[in-house]
Amino acid sequence: MSSSAQDQPLDERDTRHLRRAIELSAEARRRGNAPFGAVIVDRDGKVLAEARNTGSETDDFTAHAEMNALRLVSGRHPREVLAQATIYASGEPCAMCAGGIFWSGISRVVFGLDIEGQQRTGKPPEIALSCRQLLGAAPRPIEVLGPCLAQEAAGPFSGAWPRS
């Protein structure tokens, strides 16, 4: 978590689903992938999709957890359902994933470890645009809540990348 950012408070439902995303990130790491997990939930709390990063397993550089979860809901749930859905991500979504979230119509994002916190674990540099910046520029409101449960979310990241 960045030095100026504090964990934002979560209710019980948000906490449960974000913890599940963190569990999926640990599973991704155990399988040799980058440690990211994502869960998409409808407004009533029903899980629509769960996914983890599978980039190393599939040799697909777009196989981020959020993109994998979005692929699972695409065409299976009406846009009206997605417009009231929340995506929970163990780490702050990257620019590609934030774009996918925007195009899906999902209206709420809750994430664990922010980009700055990820980089402190040794994550290689990337286009470090915050999803808060990107989604904040969207022409429709998209609520972004994070960092949340950052210390828990940092666990699977710790030592995931060799220090250069």
Side-chain angles (χ1 to χ4, degrees):
M1 144 176 72
S2 67
S3 57
S4 62
Q6 297 295 317
D7 268 1
Q8 296 184 23
L10 297 176
D11 64 20
E12 182 276 328
R13 183 162 94 179
D14 284 339
T15 299
R16 181 170 26 97
H17 292 303
L18 183 54
R19 282 190 170 134
R20 178 61 183 145
I22 294 167
E23 288 172 9
L24 290 164
S25 73
E27 182 181 317
R29 180 163 179 204
R30 284 191 299 274
R31 295 177 64 109
N33 301 290
F36 292 91
V39 178
I40 299 175
V41 177
D42 73 10
R43 76 171 180 185
D44 298 322
K46 178 184 174 198
V47 174
L48 303 177
E50 293 186 343
R52 57 183 164 69
N53 183 297
T54 58
S56 293
E57 288 177 81
T58 61
D59 202 24
D60 177 356
F61 49 82
T62 68
H64 293 195
E66 300 92 334
M67 296 300 288
N68 287 340
L70 291 168
R71 286 183 190 106
L72 290 171
V73 298
S74 180
R76 293 187 179 112
H77 299 282
R79 298 288 261 184
E80 298 79 25
V81 170
L82 295 179
Q84 297 181 41
T86 298
I87 186 166
Y88 297 88
S90 61
E92 183 171 3
C94 72
M96 174 184 69
C97 294
I101 291 164
F102 168 77
W103 289 111
S104 75
I106 289 174
S107 62
R108 187 166 183 260
V109 178
V110 178
F111 69 85
L113 192 61
D114 63 10
I115 289 172
E116 295 84 4
Q118 293 171 37
Q119 289 174 334
R120 279 196 298 281
T121 69
K123 183 178 179 200
E126 62 179 42
I127 300 172
L129 288 174
S130 165
C131 80
R132 295 164 280 184
Q133 292 171 288
L134 290 167
L135 296 176
R140 62 177 169 78
I142 301 172
E143 180 184 2
V144 179
L145 188 62
C148 306
L149 307 178
Q151 286 191 354
E152 287 181 48
F157 283 89
S158 183
W161 293 278
R163 300 261 180 197
S164 44

